[in-house]
Amino acid sequence: MRKGKRGMNYYSTRDNTLRRTASEAILQGISEEGGLFVPQEFPAVDLAALMDLDYCALAAKLLSLYLTDYSEAFLQKAAQTAYGGARFSGKTAHLVKLEDGLYSMELWHGPTCAFKDYALQLMPLLLTEAKRINRDETKTAILVATSGDTGKAALEGYRDLPGIEIAVFYPDHGTSEMQRLQMATQEGKNVHVFAVKGNFDDAQTGVKRVFTDAAFAEECAAAGKRLTSANSINWGRLAPQIVYYFAGYFQLVRTGALALGQEADFCVPTGNFGDILAGYYAKRMGLPVRRLICASNKNNVLSDFGASGVYDANRPFYKTTSPSMDILVSSNLERLLCHESGDPAMVSGLMGALTKEKRYSIPASLQERIAATFDFGCAGEEACSEEIARVWQQDHYLADPHTAVALSVARAKRCGQVPCIVLSTASPYKFSGAVLRALGQNAGEDDFADLAALEQLTGVPAPAVLRQLREKEIRFDEQIEPEQILSVARAL
Ligand SMILES: *Cc1c(COP(=O)(O)O)cnc(C)c1O
């Protein structure tokens, strides 16, 4: 691969002698020694010049600063395809005022009703273009283990793209019925969906085993096939998420809640640390962000880390009503440690400890640096459900459990001087049962009955794509054992 090309280059969190262009980093996904690709610099922006751009133009402009080997014309067209027209119902980074100083930025008006659409509507276009730029004619096989939202968003993003096949594996009985149907009814010629017997870990372990199977890797190389994943360790998934921080901030300025240059806080419901890390990039580029508040659910490994400087994944795993945050190893934290320490050798040591002992401890100086930007908090199941009820009664706002975790943490952390934007990551109707129960109602076995009951109770319309799922044809209902994932991958 070319080294030291002009424009933005990327190095690895575990090796700062590596150099990759943006398209190479996106094609490769993860660095050969296991590190994640990070940009060498944080490009500075002129806020006034960006302020009046629409979402597509803003996305193209910000991405062009990082993806310097992609043409501006391509990025403009890709942003238009991903975010323009009716894709997000005209509601990109839709900001709703709840109370003075407290806002919800709804990121779930895309095709799958979760914020992952922002990354996964664009990422496939970036990957296809990366293949073209690098004259890579291999066939791409994408394997995704999912607990729900990622799988559907990836299927929608990659469907019918030439040269790409995608297979998604979800735990049998491990997703909500709505999430299962979203995947089971997926359209497209290059999509494959399987229920794996066992829990999410069994599905994920099965997929990881395929990725690390040396004999299979040789087989793929011989067949001109490249295996890749669709999770948020890929730079191409992270970069598009920077955009909505700018878009949300500019809306505050436009409504007069802030003067351009005054600071805002962002509070983010966090799992793999990808979404909140995009906010960190926005801040380093010059967006006036005072604090980034990292909200965890009952699986509070991150808030413990914030308080102690010790990351300890040796703990029970809880299944909660905010399943997309049920994560014990937040992969993207590695990127933050690298940027704030400037020391990939140290990061490499910490990640080695994480693999071996499921635990690492950072130096006090690094902990202080992180604390200068980040605040950490958690909300357990009860706090989450109380928040759903409170924000409905007080502000007449319907929040899903992930958003409610962040709202609860934001309320606890607010100082009142600086407006706070809470990232709302999923439609409440993806989790109708949990929301109904939080509002003191009974919820049943049937997600569609729950959806109808929640609509009736609140008068808030459910997204049509969820309501219509009931009528769609089931295309995939095959159950497999985790050991069969390899033969699925072989057939792609
Ligand atoms: C994935 C997801 C999150 C967590 O985002 P990370 O980037 O993994 O921190 C939060 N809420 C919802 C609804 C999600 O799907």
Side-chain angles (χ1 to χ4, degrees), residues 108 113-116 147-150 179 232 237-238 241 244 268-278 294-295 302 322-327 330-332 400-403 423-427 430-431:
W108 41 263
C113 308
F115 89 99
K116 290 186 172 67
S147 57
D149 289 339
T150 302
Q179 288 173 317
S232 64
R237 239 194 91 172
L238 200 52
Q241 298 182 310
Y244 46 70
V268 188
T270 297
N272 217 6
F273 210 76
D275 202 6
I276 194 166
L277 190 71
C294 173
L302 282 167
S322 45
S324 299
M325 299 160 75
D326 291 344
I327 282 184
S330 300
S331 314
N332 274 299
D400 99 288
H402 303 77
T403 307
L423 272 58
S424 175
T425 48
S427 160
K430 267 191 123 160
F431 306 94

Short mmCIF file of all heavy atoms in Angstrom, two decimals, residues 108 113-116 147-150 179 232 237-238 241 244 268-278 294-295 302 322-327 330-332 400-403 423-427 430-431, ligand 1:
data_model
loop_
_atom_site.label_atom_id
_atom_site.label_comp_id
_atom_site.label_asym_id
_atom_site.label_seq_id
_atom_site.Cartn_x
_atom_site.Cartn_y
_atom_site.Cartn_z
N TRP A 108 -33.57 8.91 14.58
CA TRP A 108 -34.19 7.63 14.18
C TRP A 108 -35.27 7.79 13.11
O TRP A 108 -36.17 6.97 13.02
CB TRP A 108 -34.76 6.92 15.40
CG TRP A 108 -35.45 7.81 16.39
CD1 TRP A 108 -34.90 8.36 17.52
CD2 TRP A 108 -36.81 8.28 16.35
NE1 TRP A 108 -35.84 9.13 18.19
CE2 TRP A 108 -37.01 9.10 17.48
CE3 TRP A 108 -37.87 8.09 15.46
CZ2 TRP A 108 -38.23 9.73 17.75
CZ3 TRP A 108 -39.08 8.71 15.72
CH2 TRP A 108 -39.25 9.52 16.86
N CYS A 113 -35.32 3.03 11.73
CA CYS A 113 -35.79 3.64 12.99
C CYS A 113 -34.77 3.60 14.13
O CYS A 113 -35.15 3.60 15.31
CB CYS A 113 -37.11 3.02 13.46
SG CYS A 113 -38.38 3.02 12.21
N ALA A 114 -33.48 3.52 13.80
CA ALA A 114 -32.43 3.65 14.82
C ALA A 114 -31.31 4.51 14.24
O ALA A 114 -31.16 4.62 13.02
CB ALA A 114 -31.90 2.29 15.24
N PHE A 115 -30.50 5.10 15.13
CA PHE A 115 -29.50 6.07 14.65
C PHE A 115 -28.42 5.41 13.79
O PHE A 115 -27.71 6.09 13.06
CB PHE A 115 -28.84 6.80 15.84
CG PHE A 115 -27.62 6.11 16.37
CD1 PHE A 115 -26.35 6.54 16.01
CD2 PHE A 115 -27.72 5.03 17.21
CE1 PHE A 115 -25.22 5.91 16.48
CE2 PHE A 115 -26.59 4.38 17.69
CZ PHE A 115 -25.34 4.81 17.32
N LYS A 116 -28.31 4.09 13.84
CA LYS A 116 -27.28 3.41 13.07
C LYS A 116 -27.44 3.63 11.57
O LYS A 116 -26.50 3.44 10.80
CB LYS A 116 -27.23 1.94 13.41
CG LYS A 116 -26.68 1.72 14.82
CD LYS A 116 -26.46 0.27 15.17
CE LYS A 116 -25.72 0.13 16.49
NZ LYS A 116 -26.53 0.59 17.65
N SER A 147 -27.44 -7.96 17.92
CA SER A 147 -28.48 -8.16 18.93
C SER A 147 -29.75 -7.43 18.48
O SER A 147 -30.73 -7.38 19.21
CB SER A 147 -28.01 -7.64 20.29
OG SER A 147 -27.65 -6.29 20.19
N GLY A 148 -29.73 -6.85 17.28
CA GLY A 148 -30.96 -6.25 16.77
C GLY A 148 -30.75 -5.11 15.79
O GLY A 148 -30.90 -5.29 14.59
N ASP A 149 -30.36 -3.95 16.28
CA ASP A 149 -30.35 -2.74 15.44
C ASP A 149 -29.29 -2.75 14.34
O ASP A 149 -29.56 -2.34 13.21
CB ASP A 149 -30.14 -1.50 16.31
CG ASP A 149 -31.36 -1.19 17.17
OD1 ASP A 149 -32.46 -1.65 16.81
OD2 ASP A 149 -31.21 -0.48 18.17
N THR A 150 -28.09 -3.21 14.65
CA THR A 150 -27.02 -3.18 13.65
C THR A 150 -27.37 -4.04 12.44
O THR A 150 -27.14 -3.65 11.30
CB THR A 150 -25.69 -3.67 14.25
OG1 THR A 150 -25.38 -2.84 15.36
CG2 THR A 150 -24.56 -3.59 13.24
N GLN A 179 -37.76 -6.34 15.97
CA GLN A 179 -36.43 -6.41 15.37
C GLN A 179 -36.29 -7.68 14.52
O GLN A 179 -35.71 -7.65 13.44
CB GLN A 179 -35.36 -6.40 16.48
CG GLN A 179 -35.21 -5.04 17.14
CD GLN A 179 -34.27 -5.08 18.34
OE1 GLN A 179 -34.32 -5.99 19.15
NE2 GLN A 179 -33.41 -4.08 18.45
N SER A 232 -18.80 -0.96 14.39
CA SER A 232 -18.36 0.44 14.42
C SER A 232 -16.86 0.62 14.62
O SER A 232 -16.40 1.74 14.84
CB SER A 232 -19.12 1.21 15.48
OG SER A 232 -18.84 0.71 16.77
N ARG A 237 -17.62 3.88 9.34
CA ARG A 237 -18.87 3.92 10.09
C ARG A 237 -18.87 5.05 11.10
O ARG A 237 -19.91 5.60 11.44
CB ARG A 237 -19.10 2.60 10.82
CG ARG A 237 -20.39 1.94 10.39
CD ARG A 237 -20.80 0.83 11.31
NE ARG A 237 -21.67 1.29 12.37
CZ ARG A 237 -22.29 0.50 13.22
NH1 ARG A 237 -22.12 -0.81 13.12
NH2 ARG A 237 -23.06 0.98 14.15
N LEU A 238 -17.69 5.37 11.57
CA LEU A 238 -17.59 6.41 12.60
C LEU A 238 -17.72 7.82 12.02
O LEU A 238 -18.44 8.66 12.54
CB LEU A 238 -16.23 6.24 13.30
CG LEU A 238 -16.05 6.84 14.66
CD1 LEU A 238 -17.15 6.41 15.60
CD2 LEU A 238 -14.69 6.40 15.21
N GLN A 241 -20.89 9.93 11.58
CA GLN A 241 -21.61 10.31 12.79
C GLN A 241 -21.15 11.66 13.34
O GLN A 241 -21.80 12.24 14.21
CB GLN A 241 -21.44 9.21 13.85
CG GLN A 241 -22.04 7.90 13.37
CD GLN A 241 -21.94 6.80 14.41
OE1 GLN A 241 -20.89 6.53 14.96
NE2 GLN A 241 -23.03 6.16 14.67
N TYR A 244 -23.84 14.95 12.61
CA TYR A 244 -25.05 15.41 13.31
C TYR A 244 -24.74 16.22 14.56
O TYR A 244 -25.60 16.97 15.03
CB TYR A 244 -26.07 14.29 13.53
CG TYR A 244 -25.60 12.97 14.07
CD1 TYR A 244 -25.16 12.83 15.37
CD2 TYR A 244 -25.68 11.84 13.26
CE1 TYR A 244 -24.78 11.59 15.86
CE2 TYR A 244 -25.30 10.59 13.75
CZ TYR A 244 -24.84 10.47 15.05
OH TYR A 244 -24.48 9.25 15.54
N VAL A 268 -24.97 11.23 25.53
CA VAL A 268 -25.08 10.16 24.54
C VAL A 268 -25.29 8.79 25.19
O VAL A 268 -24.46 8.36 26.00
CB VAL A 268 -23.79 10.11 23.69
CG1 VAL A 268 -23.95 9.15 22.51
CG2 VAL A 268 -23.41 11.50 23.18
N PRO A 269 -26.38 8.09 24.83
CA PRO A 269 -26.56 6.72 25.31
C PRO A 269 -25.51 5.81 24.67
O PRO A 269 -25.47 5.70 23.45
CB PRO A 269 -27.97 6.34 24.86
CG PRO A 269 -28.29 7.26 23.73
CD PRO A 269 -27.47 8.50 23.92
N THR A 270 -24.68 5.18 25.48
CA THR A 270 -23.46 4.59 24.94
C THR A 270 -23.38 3.08 25.13
O THR A 270 -23.77 2.55 26.16
CB THR A 270 -22.24 5.28 25.59
OG1 THR A 270 -22.26 6.65 25.21
CG2 THR A 270 -20.94 4.66 25.12
N GLY A 271 -22.86 2.42 24.09
CA GLY A 271 -22.59 0.99 24.14
C GLY A 271 -21.15 0.75 23.75
O GLY A 271 -20.25 0.61 24.58
N ASN A 272 -20.91 0.78 22.45
CA ASN A 272 -19.57 0.51 21.93
C ASN A 272 -18.68 1.76 21.87
O ASN A 272 -17.57 1.72 21.38
CB ASN A 272 -19.70 -0.09 20.52
CG ASN A 272 -18.66 -1.15 20.25
OD1 ASN A 272 -17.90 -1.53 21.16
ND2 ASN A 272 -18.59 -1.62 19.03
N PHE A 273 -19.19 2.89 22.33
CA PHE A 273 -18.46 4.17 22.41
C PHE A 273 -18.22 4.81 21.04
O PHE A 273 -17.43 5.73 20.91
CB PHE A 273 -17.12 3.98 23.15
CG PHE A 273 -16.64 5.21 23.89
CD1 PHE A 273 -17.21 5.58 25.10
CD2 PHE A 273 -15.62 6.00 23.39
CE1 PHE A 273 -16.78 6.71 25.79
CE2 PHE A 273 -15.19 7.15 24.07
CZ PHE A 273 -15.77 7.49 25.28
N GLY A 274 -18.95 4.34 20.01
CA GLY A 274 -18.75 4.92 18.69
C GLY A 274 -19.45 6.26 18.53
O GLY A 274 -18.86 7.24 18.07
N ASP A 275 -20.71 6.30 18.94
CA ASP A 275 -21.51 7.50 18.77
C ASP A 275 -20.89 8.67 19.53
O ASP A 275 -20.69 9.76 18.98
CB ASP A 275 -22.92 7.20 19.29
CG ASP A 275 -23.96 8.13 18.70
OD1 ASP A 275 -23.61 8.92 17.81
OD2 ASP A 275 -25.12 8.06 19.14
N ILE A 276 -20.54 8.47 20.77
CA ILE A 276 -20.00 9.57 21.57
C ILE A 276 -18.60 9.97 21.08
O ILE A 276 -18.22 11.13 21.12
CB ILE A 276 -19.99 9.23 23.08
CG1 ILE A 276 -19.74 10.51 23.91
CG2 ILE A 276 -18.99 8.13 23.43
CD1 ILE A 276 -20.05 10.37 25.38
N LEU A 277 -17.86 9.01 20.57
CA LEU A 277 -16.52 9.34 20.05
C LEU A 277 -16.62 10.27 18.84
O LEU A 277 -15.77 11.14 18.65
CB LEU A 277 -15.76 8.06 19.69
CG LEU A 277 -14.28 8.32 19.37
CD1 LEU A 277 -13.51 8.68 20.63
CD2 LEU A 277 -13.64 7.12 18.70
N ALA A 278 -17.66 10.12 18.05
CA ALA A 278 -17.86 11.04 16.93
C ALA A 278 -18.01 12.47 17.46
O ALA A 278 -17.54 13.43 16.84
CB ALA A 278 -19.08 10.63 16.12
N CYS A 294 -21.25 10.70 28.85
CA CYS A 294 -21.38 9.30 28.43
C CYS A 294 -22.37 8.60 29.36
O CYS A 294 -22.10 8.46 30.55
CB CYS A 294 -20.01 8.63 28.50
SG CYS A 294 -20.01 6.86 28.19
N ALA A 295 -23.53 8.20 28.82
CA ALA A 295 -24.57 7.57 29.64
C ALA A 295 -24.58 6.07 29.43
O ALA A 295 -24.67 5.59 28.30
CB ALA A 295 -25.93 8.16 29.29
N LEU A 302 -18.49 1.59 31.77
CA LEU A 302 -17.89 2.87 31.39
C LEU A 302 -17.97 3.91 32.50
O LEU A 302 -17.01 4.66 32.71
CB LEU A 302 -18.56 3.41 30.12
CG LEU A 302 -18.10 2.76 28.81
CD1 LEU A 302 -19.05 3.13 27.67
CD2 LEU A 302 -16.67 3.17 28.46
N SER A 322 -32.72 -1.65 27.33
CA SER A 322 -31.97 -0.90 26.30
C SER A 322 -30.86 -1.80 25.75
O SER A 322 -29.69 -1.58 26.02
CB SER A 322 -31.40 0.40 26.88
OG SER A 322 -30.80 0.19 28.14
N PRO A 323 -31.25 -2.84 24.99
CA PRO A 323 -30.32 -3.92 24.63
C PRO A 323 -29.11 -3.46 23.81
O PRO A 323 -28.06 -4.09 23.89
CB PRO A 323 -31.19 -4.89 23.82
CG PRO A 323 -32.35 -4.07 23.34
CD PRO A 323 -32.59 -3.06 24.41
N SER A 324 -29.26 -2.38 23.04
CA SER A 324 -28.13 -1.95 22.21
C SER A 324 -27.01 -1.33 23.05
O SER A 324 -25.95 -1.01 22.52
CB SER A 324 -28.59 -0.97 21.15
OG SER A 324 -29.53 -1.60 20.31
N MET A 325 -27.25 -1.15 24.34
CA MET A 325 -26.20 -0.65 25.23
C MET A 325 -25.70 -1.76 26.16
O MET A 325 -24.90 -1.50 27.05
CB MET A 325 -26.75 0.50 26.07
CG MET A 325 -27.19 1.68 25.22
SD MET A 325 -28.31 2.76 26.12
CE MET A 325 -27.13 3.56 27.20
N ASP A 326 -26.19 -2.98 25.95
CA ASP A 326 -25.74 -4.10 26.79
C ASP A 326 -24.41 -4.61 26.25
O ASP A 326 -24.34 -5.60 25.51
CB ASP A 326 -26.79 -5.23 26.78
CG ASP A 326 -28.06 -4.82 27.51
OD1 ASP A 326 -28.03 -3.82 28.26
OD2 ASP A 326 -29.08 -5.52 27.34
N ILE A 327 -23.35 -3.93 26.64
CA ILE A 327 -22.02 -4.22 26.11
C ILE A 327 -21.01 -4.10 27.23
O ILE A 327 -21.09 -3.16 28.04
CB ILE A 327 -21.70 -3.21 24.97
CG1 ILE A 327 -22.41 -3.64 23.69
CG2 ILE A 327 -20.21 -3.10 24.73
CD1 ILE A 327 -22.11 -2.79 22.49
N SER A 330 -16.28 -1.91 25.22
CA SER A 330 -16.59 -0.80 24.32
C SER A 330 -15.38 -0.53 23.43
O SER A 330 -14.45 0.19 23.80
CB SER A 330 -16.94 0.45 25.13
OG SER A 330 -18.05 0.19 25.95
N SER A 331 -15.41 -1.11 22.23
CA SER A 331 -14.23 -1.13 21.36
C SER A 331 -13.66 0.25 21.05
O SER A 331 -12.45 0.43 20.98
CB SER A 331 -14.56 -1.79 20.04
OG SER A 331 -15.27 -2.97 20.24
N ASN A 332 -14.53 1.23 20.82
CA ASN A 332 -14.03 2.53 20.35
C ASN A 332 -13.34 3.36 21.42
O ASN A 332 -12.72 4.37 21.11
CB ASN A 332 -15.15 3.33 19.71
CG ASN A 332 -15.30 2.98 18.25
OD1 ASN A 332 -14.38 3.17 17.47
ND2 ASN A 332 -16.44 2.42 17.90
N ASP A 400 -37.67 6.38 23.89
CA ASP A 400 -37.37 4.95 23.93
C ASP A 400 -36.42 4.71 25.12
O ASP A 400 -35.86 5.66 25.66
CB ASP A 400 -36.76 4.49 22.60
CG ASP A 400 -35.25 4.40 22.69
OD1 ASP A 400 -34.60 5.46 22.75
OD2 ASP A 400 -34.72 3.27 22.76
N PRO A 401 -36.22 3.45 25.53
CA PRO A 401 -35.39 3.21 26.72
C PRO A 401 -33.93 3.68 26.58
O PRO A 401 -33.34 4.11 27.57
CB PRO A 401 -35.45 1.68 26.90
CG PRO A 401 -36.72 1.27 26.23
CD PRO A 401 -36.91 2.22 25.09
N HIS A 402 -33.35 3.62 25.38
CA HIS A 402 -31.96 4.08 25.23
C HIS A 402 -31.88 5.59 25.44
O HIS A 402 -31.03 6.09 26.17
CB HIS A 402 -31.43 3.73 23.83
CG HIS A 402 -31.49 2.27 23.50
ND1 HIS A 402 -32.67 1.65 23.15
CD2 HIS A 402 -30.54 1.31 23.49
CE1 HIS A 402 -32.43 0.36 22.93
NE2 HIS A 402 -31.15 0.12 23.13
N THR A 403 -32.81 6.30 24.80
CA THR A 403 -32.87 7.75 24.96
C THR A 403 -33.14 8.11 26.42
O THR A 403 -32.55 9.06 26.95
CB THR A 403 -33.99 8.32 24.07
OG1 THR A 403 -33.79 7.84 22.73
CG2 THR A 403 -34.01 9.83 24.09
N LEU A 423 -28.80 12.78 22.64
CA LEU A 423 -28.97 12.05 21.38
C LEU A 423 -30.04 10.98 21.57
O LEU A 423 -29.91 10.10 22.43
CB LEU A 423 -27.63 11.43 20.92
CG LEU A 423 -26.76 12.36 20.06
CD1 LEU A 423 -26.42 13.64 20.79
CD2 LEU A 423 -25.51 11.67 19.59
N SER A 424 -31.10 11.08 20.77
CA SER A 424 -32.18 10.10 20.83
C SER A 424 -31.94 9.07 19.73
O SER A 424 -31.97 9.40 18.55
CB SER A 424 -33.52 10.82 20.63
OG SER A 424 -34.56 9.86 20.59
N THR A 425 -31.66 7.82 20.14
CA THR A 425 -31.07 6.87 19.21
C THR A 425 -32.05 5.86 18.59
O THR A 425 -31.69 5.18 17.64
CB THR A 425 -29.92 6.10 19.88
OG1 THR A 425 -30.37 5.63 21.14
CG2 THR A 425 -28.71 7.00 20.07
N ALA A 426 -33.24 5.73 19.14
CA ALA A 426 -34.19 4.78 18.54
C ALA A 426 -35.62 5.29 18.70
O ALA A 426 -35.93 6.01 19.65
CB ALA A 426 -34.05 3.40 19.18
N SER A 427 -36.47 4.88 17.78
CA SER A 427 -37.89 5.19 17.90
C SER A 427 -38.47 4.44 19.09
O SER A 427 -38.18 3.26 19.28
CB SER A 427 -38.62 4.76 16.62
OG SER A 427 -40.01 4.62 16.89
N LYS A 430 -39.86 0.90 18.55
CA LYS A 430 -39.06 -0.32 18.42
C LYS A 430 -39.11 -1.10 19.73
O LYS A 430 -38.75 -2.28 19.77
CB LYS A 430 -37.60 0.02 18.08
CG LYS A 430 -37.32 0.03 16.60
CD LYS A 430 -35.84 0.11 16.31
CE LYS A 430 -35.40 -1.06 15.46
NZ LYS A 430 -34.11 -0.80 14.75
N PHE A 431 -39.50 -0.43 20.80
CA PHE A 431 -39.50 -1.04 22.13
C PHE A 431 -40.83 -0.74 22.84
O PHE A 431 -40.85 -0.35 24.00
CB PHE A 431 -38.31 -0.53 22.94
CG PHE A 431 -37.00 -0.71 22.22
CD1 PHE A 431 -36.45 0.30 21.45
CD2 PHE A 431 -36.34 -1.93 22.27
CE1 PHE A 431 -35.26 0.12 20.75
CE2 PHE A 431 -35.16 -2.13 21.57
CZ PHE A 431 -34.62 -1.10 20.81
C1 LIG B 1 -26.03 1.06 18.90
C2 LIG B 1 -26.96 1.83 19.75
C3 LIG B 1 -26.50 2.61 20.84
C4 LIG B 1 -25.05 2.65 21.27
O1 LIG B 1 -24.22 3.31 20.35
P1 LIG B 1 -22.62 3.06 20.40
O2 LIG B 1 -22.08 3.76 19.22
O3 LIG B 1 -22.44 1.57 20.32
O4 LIG B 1 -22.13 3.61 21.69
C5 LIG B 1 -27.44 3.35 21.57
N1 LIG B 1 -28.76 3.30 21.25
C6 LIG B 1 -29.23 2.57 20.22
C7 LIG B 1 -30.70 2.55 19.95
C8 LIG B 1 -28.36 1.81 19.43
O5 LIG B 1 -28.85 1.07 18.41
#
